[in-house]
């Protein structure tokens, strides 16, 4: 396992980039600690696969360095870096048995037969492949082939890091949860440095200890799943993470309070925690409140930190209700427990001071 450090790393697919927009990966400095489980999360085209290829040695960066345990490996191949990688689609030998596919990376390194058998049996047990060990890979389903590919990435114990490039794309949705859990168990047992690339927030947030969220070639925030959900540092993160995403409302600051723009009842200002509104008073540009549908509370009457709203629609989703409410010029989504009686018409919406965020030009006001 290795500590992986990125120093002033950037990459452009243009021969002569002359502006920031020419870079698929914009300048970044970051540290992946030895033995950590990380995810690179972002929409298609955000630069996450480019970054993974640079870490693995499949792509030379336009600028900057990649360090493994303090050693500059920027010019080294994946083999020299001692990297294991699992790709989006299965990379296996169809003519070989499942056992031989799993054993192949170990045989290449001249391990003893007993050591190879022990490790193959361990990985087969982890991935529930024991019953398939004698079968040839050619006749297996896409799910099982990708399981073998995962096993080939996990079978070596001496790797610096294991990199996963959207490895569950071809896996049946019902198996994805099981595989994420198994990968988590593998990490807890062996403490490999794992980096997992995905556009699926469910995969990233359930797999990784730390998630790096990317957009347009930039790492916007790195944090635990809870930090990313509760305190996104950028408007994009509020939208991208969560289902549905964060509500945003244009607002103005009045001393220690904020007032929602376009609201018919300016007599209902809101207070935020930690004096955030006071600090935002001197800022220029667009100010917005951001709050998750899970954190606002629908009330029948006025309470502390509430504003009047109009309930427009109620969707019963089985384990909760998703309510659309009109708040001035804004349409917001509110998650409500199944048992709560919600009627169309006038109501009040409570904004919890400690979970309501303030954004200036898309960036969190700290």
């Amino acid at each position: 396992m290795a500590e992986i450090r990125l120093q002033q790393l950037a990459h452009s697919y243009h021969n002569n980039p002359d502006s920031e927009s020419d870079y698929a990966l914009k300048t970044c400095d970051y540290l992946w600690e030895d033995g950590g489980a990380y995810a690179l999360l972002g929409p298609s085209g955000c630069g996450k696969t480019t970054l993974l290829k640079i870490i693995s040695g499949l792509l030379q960066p336009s600028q900057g360095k990649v360090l493994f345990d303090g050693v500059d490996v920027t010019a080294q191949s994946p083999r020299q870096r001692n990297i294991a990688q699992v790709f989006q689609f299965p990379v296996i030998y169809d003519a070989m048995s499942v056992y031989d596919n799993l054993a192949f990376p170990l045989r290449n390194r001249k391990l003893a037969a007993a050591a190879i058998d022990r490790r193959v049996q361990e990985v087969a047990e982890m991935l529930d492949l024991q019953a398939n060990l004698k079968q040839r890979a050619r006749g297996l389903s896409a799910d099982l082939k990708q399981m073998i590919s995962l096993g080939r990435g996990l079978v070596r114990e001496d790797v610096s890091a294991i990199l996963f490039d959207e490895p569950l794309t071809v896996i049946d949705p019902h198996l994805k949860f099981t595989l994420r859990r198994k990968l988590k168990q593998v990490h807890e047992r062996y403490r490999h440095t794992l980096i997992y690339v995905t556009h699926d927030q469910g995969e990233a947030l359930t797999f990784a200890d730390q998630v790096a969220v990317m957009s347009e070639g930039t790492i916007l925030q790195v944090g635990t799943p809870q930090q990313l959900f509760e305190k996104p540092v950028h408007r994009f993160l509020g939208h991208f993470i969560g289902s549905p995403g964060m509500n945003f409302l244009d607002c103005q600051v009045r001393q220690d309070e904020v007032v929602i723009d376009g609201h018919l009842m300016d007599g209902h200002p809101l207070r935020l925690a930690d004096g955030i509104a006071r600090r935002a008073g001197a800022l220029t540009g667009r100010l917005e409140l951001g709050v998750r549908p899970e954190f606002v509370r629908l009330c029948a009457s006025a309470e502390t930190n509430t504003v009047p709203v109009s309930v427009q629609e109620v969707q019963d989703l089985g384990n909760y209700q998703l309510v659309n409410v009109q708040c001035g010029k804004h349409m917001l989504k509110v998650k409500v427990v199944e048992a709560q009686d919600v009627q169309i018409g006038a109501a009040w919406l409570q904004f919890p001071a400690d979970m309501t965020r303030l954004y200036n030009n898309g960036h969190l006001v700290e």
Side-chain angles (χ1 to χ4, degrees):
M1 287 73 79
E3 172 195 274
I4 300 172
R5 184 181 294 274
L6 313 178
Q7 287 187 347
Q8 289 293 292
L9 200 70
H11 185 71
S12 173
Y13 292 100
H14 297 271
N15 291 328
N16 298 296
D18 58 9
S19 68
E20 191 177 68
S21 63
D22 288 336
Y23 282 84
L25 179 66
K26 297 176 176 63
T27 305
C28 65
D29 290 272
Y30 189 61
L31 174 67
W32 314 90
E33 294 183 354
D34 186 0
Y38 300 94
L40 280 173
L41 173 65
S44 297
C46 71
K48 56 188 185 295
T49 296
T50 295
L51 179 53
L52 195 76
K53 287 180 177 179
I54 291 172
I55 294 171
S56 70
L58 293 172
L59 182 66
Q60 290 291 306
S62 301
Q63 67 181 57
K65 296 180 180 180
V66 179
L67 306 177
F68 280 21
D69 287 336
V71 177
D72 186 353
V73 299
T74 312
Q76 291 184 4
S77 67
R79 183 179 180 86
Q80 291 171 311
R81 297 184 192 195
N82 198 24
I83 286 289
Q85 189 155 358
V86 180
F87 297 94
Q88 185 173 2
F89 298 101
V91 179
I92 60 174
Y93 298 103
D94 273 351
M96 288 185 181
S97 68
V98 174
Y99 184 101
D100 289 337
N101 266 284
L102 296 177
F104 187 81
L106 305 179
R107 288 172 178 160
N108 270 354
R109 284 158 182 79
K110 311 299 184 186
L111 268 66
I116 292 173
D117 185 68
R118 174 188 60 79
R119 187 60 181 157
V120 168
Q121 295 294 343
E122 281 184 5
V123 170
E125 183 181 359
M126 288 177 205
L127 300 177
D128 292 329
L129 289 171
Q130 304 101 310
N132 306 103
L133 286 176
K134 294 182 180 180
Q135 292 180 261
R136 292 200 182 279
R138 180 181 293 114
L140 299 177
S141 66
D143 288 351
L144 283 173
K145 286 183 177 181
Q146 187 66 335
M147 297 271 270
I148 299 167
S149 193
L150 282 169
R152 284 165 56 88
L154 297 170
V155 74
R156 290 171 52 200
E157 298 179 271
D158 63 338
V159 293
S160 298
I162 305 175
L163 312 182
F164 300 90
D165 190 1
E166 307 215 35
L168 303 186
T169 300
V170 300
I171 298 293
D172 185 283
H174 297 293
L175 294 177
K176 285 186 177 183
F177 176 79
T178 301
L179 274 177
R180 289 199 299 266
R181 179 174 53 81
K182 287 183 180 295
L183 287 175
K184 214 38 179 170
Q185 290 170 347
V186 169
H187 177 255
E188 289 168 358
R189 182 172 178 180
Y190 296 106
R191 305 307 297 180
H192 290 301
T193 304
L194 305 182
I195 302 176
Y196 188 107
V197 164
T198 181
H199 65 275
D200 186 321
Q201 60 174 287
E203 290 183 16
L205 300 179
T206 55
F207 165 78
D209 301 324
Q210 293 276 321
V211 179
V213 185
M214 298 186 67
S215 175
E216 298 181 346
T218 300
I219 297 177
L220 294 178
Q221 184 175 356
V222 181
T224 65
Q226 182 177 358
Q227 289 167 343
L228 295 173
F229 186 78
E230 294 185 357
K231 203 171 185 180
V233 301
H234 193 276
R235 195 181 195 278
F236 169 82
L237 292 157
H239 273 305
F240 187 67
I241 293 176
S243 180
M246 182 176 268
N247 295 302
F248 287 94
L249 307 90
D250 292 301
C251 67
Q252 299 174 27
V253 172
R254 296 182 182 175
Q255 297 181 340
D256 293 340
E257 299 172 322
V258 295
V259 175
I260 297 169
D261 280 4
H263 202 282
L264 298 176
M265 302 291 289
D266 278 358
H268 297 276
L270 300 171
R271 284 195 170 271
L272 305 181
D274 303 323
I276 293 294
R278 190 183 312 113
R279 290 199 289 279
L283 298 174
T284 59
R286 186 180 186 183
L287 287 175
E288 294 174 286
L289 288 180
V291 64
R292 295 263 178 215
E294 291 84 354
F295 298 148
V296 283
R297 189 169 72 90
L298 203 58
C299 310
S301 59
E303 298 184 23
T304 305
N305 240 35
T306 57
V307 296
V309 296
S310 174
V311 174
Q312 301 292 309
E313 182 184 17
V314 182
Q315 301 175 57
D316 190 340
L317 299 180
N319 57 342
Y320 67 90
Q321 300 175 84
L322 188 61
V323 182
N324 292 330
V325 303
Q326 188 77 42
C327 181
K329 66 178 184 179
H330 305 92
M331 185 66 74
L332 310 183
K333 294 189 180 298
V334 183
K335 278 191 173 182
V336 176
V337 296
E338 178 69 15
Q340 183 173 338
D341 181 28
V342 181
Q343 300 294 325
I344 301 297
W348 294 79
L349 195 63
Q350 186 176 57
F351 290 74
D354 60 335
M355 301 305 288
T356 303
R357 309 301 177 200
L358 186 62
Y359 292 84
N360 175 230
N361 296 325
H363 296 274
L364 179 69
V365 179
E366 297 278 10

